[in-house]
């Protein structure tokens, strides 16, 4: 591995509490989100899992980089920056947009003979359902209104106008990536898929989350939490316990 490869990997993948040799949990954030969203989760499983949180371009310390506008492009880059020499088990946890990126990354890893040991798909309906949407075409006010609608009561109020203006380009690019995504035909995954959803999510119904069962020939499970789109912010302990329990069942943690 060259220094350039390592630098690129560190641009994309952040490790808050490294645990070499432990099962890797690759965490993929939501539209407009960043790697720091997963800091509480990484802290909660420190020493038990090696959490690796993805930092998409166009936000925080990568704000000067143009954001990507394609789910496939994001999955392609992540496939190439994952360390092929790291043979520790790899599970994927994606929330909202991150669940779709995780699905496409799992497809690429499977096609390369390196399937993930599990895919946790949170806050998103099955990628095999018809999707679409026009949020990414709205003006700034409409885009931020959608963000506030999804934010619900689980996260801090979105009131800082300067910060909001800074995240608009990445948020618009992410919504475009999600709303223009169409999955190519491919064999089902073989790894376990665990779908998670809030029972009051304004964008994802329980039935849409349950449809993830069609994405795998492996084990499937649906876990429904009280809460909205960001249920996991208030349900951190329960989510962490479920992740650890499922990975232990696979003899991975």
């Amino acid at each position: 591995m060259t220094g350039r490869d390592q630098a690129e990997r560190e641009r994309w993948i952040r490790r808050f509490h490294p645990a070499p040799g432990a099962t890797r949990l690759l965490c993929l954030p939501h539209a407009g989100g960043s790697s720091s969203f997963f800091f509480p989760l990484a802290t909660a499983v420190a020493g038990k899992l090696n959490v690796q949180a993805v930092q998409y371009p166009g936000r925080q310390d990568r704000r000067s980089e143009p954001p990507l506008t394609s789910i496939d492009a994001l999955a392609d880059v992540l496939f190439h920056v994952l360390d092929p020499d790291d043979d520790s088990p790899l599970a994927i946890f994606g929330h909202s947009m991150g669940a779709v990126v995780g699905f496409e990354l799992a497809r690429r890893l499977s096609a390369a003979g390196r399937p993930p040991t599990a895919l946790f798909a949170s806050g998103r309906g099955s990628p095999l359902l018809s999707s679409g949407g026009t949020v990414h075409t709205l003006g700034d006010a409409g885009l931020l209104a959608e963000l506030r609608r999804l934010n619900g009561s689980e996260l801090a109020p979105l009131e800082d106008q300067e910060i909001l203006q800074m995240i608009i380009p990445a948020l618009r690019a992410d919504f475009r990536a999600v709303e223009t995504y169409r999955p190519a035909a491919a064999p089902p995954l073989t790894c376990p898929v665990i779908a998670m959803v809030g029972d009051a999510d304004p964008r994802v119904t329980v039935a849409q989350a349950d449809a993830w069962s069609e994405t795998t020939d492996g084990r499937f499970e649906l876990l429904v939490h009280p809460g909205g789109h960001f249920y996991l912010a208030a349900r951190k302990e329960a989510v962490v316990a479920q992740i650890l329990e499922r990975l232990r069942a696979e003899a991975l943690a």
Side-chain angles (χ1 to χ4, degrees):
M1 179 178 64
T2 67
R4 183 176 180 179
D5 291 337
Q6 182 63 25
E8 182 70 358
R9 189 164 294 130
E10 291 175 357
R11 275 203 313 142
W12 281 85
I13 299 176
R14 309 299 165 85
R15 299 168 175 82
F16 301 119
H17 300 284
T23 295
R24 291 172 289 164
L25 184 66
L26 185 72
C27 294
L28 302 152
H30 52 281
S34 60
S35 61
S36 59
F37 178 74
F38 292 107
F39 182 80
L41 187 153
T43 300
V45 299
K48 299 175 183 177
L49 296 175
N50 188 10
V51 172
Q52 301 182 353
V54 170
Q55 184 78 312
Y56 305 134
R59 61 217 74 203
Q60 292 185 333
D61 60 329
R62 300 190 68 187
R63 194 170 67 249
S64 63
E65 301 176 44
L68 298 181
T69 59
S70 160
I71 296 294
D72 286 317
L74 287 164
D76 285 342
V77 173
L78 289 170
F79 174 76
H80 289 293
V81 299
L82 281 174
D83 188 352
D85 297 323
D86 188 341
D87 59 2
S88 58
L90 172 68
I92 298 172
F93 184 99
H95 181 66
S96 195
M97 180 184 83
V100 185
V101 179
F103 171 67
E104 284 296 337
L105 177 59
R107 281 180 153 191
R108 286 154 174 76
L109 290 168
S110 298
R114 298 186 285 132
T117 49
L119 170 63
F120 294 88
S122 169
R124 184 72 190 177
S126 168
L128 302 184
L129 298 175
S130 59
S131 184
T134 58
V135 172
H136 72 282
T137 68
L138 299 176
D140 291 355
L143 196 66
L144 292 177
E146 178 65 13
L147 181 60
R148 289 189 175 94
R149 186 174 79 93
L150 293 177
N151 190 57
S153 61
E154 288 98 350
L155 300 182
L158 299 170
E159 298 173 347
D160 190 317
Q161 293 302 312
E162 184 176 353
I163 291 178
L164 289 175
Q165 290 302 313
M166 288 169 57
I167 69 172
I168 282 176
L171 184 64
R172 188 179 302 283
D174 290 350
F175 269 106
R176 179 180 175 187
V178 170
E179 293 179 339
T180 60
Y181 166 73
R182 301 292 182 272
L189 300 175
T190 58
C191 66
V193 172
I194 300 93
M196 296 180 170
V197 68
D199 61 4
D201 192 318
R203 264 194 166 248
V204 185
T205 67
V206 171
Q208 289 170 332
D210 190 53
W212 277 92
S213 61
E214 300 298 321
T215 65
T216 183
D217 285 337
R219 184 173 62 84
F220 172 75
E221 187 175 6
L222 174 65
L223 302 173
V224 181
H225 289 263
H229 191 65
F230 289 102
Y231 71 90
L232 65 171
R235 297 276 297 169
K236 180 189 69 178
E237 292 80 6
V239 170
V240 164
Q242 290 174 340
I243 291 172
L244 290 172
E245 182 181 345
R246 271 66 186 178
L247 293 181
R248 288 190 188 108
E250 300 294 327
L252 297 175

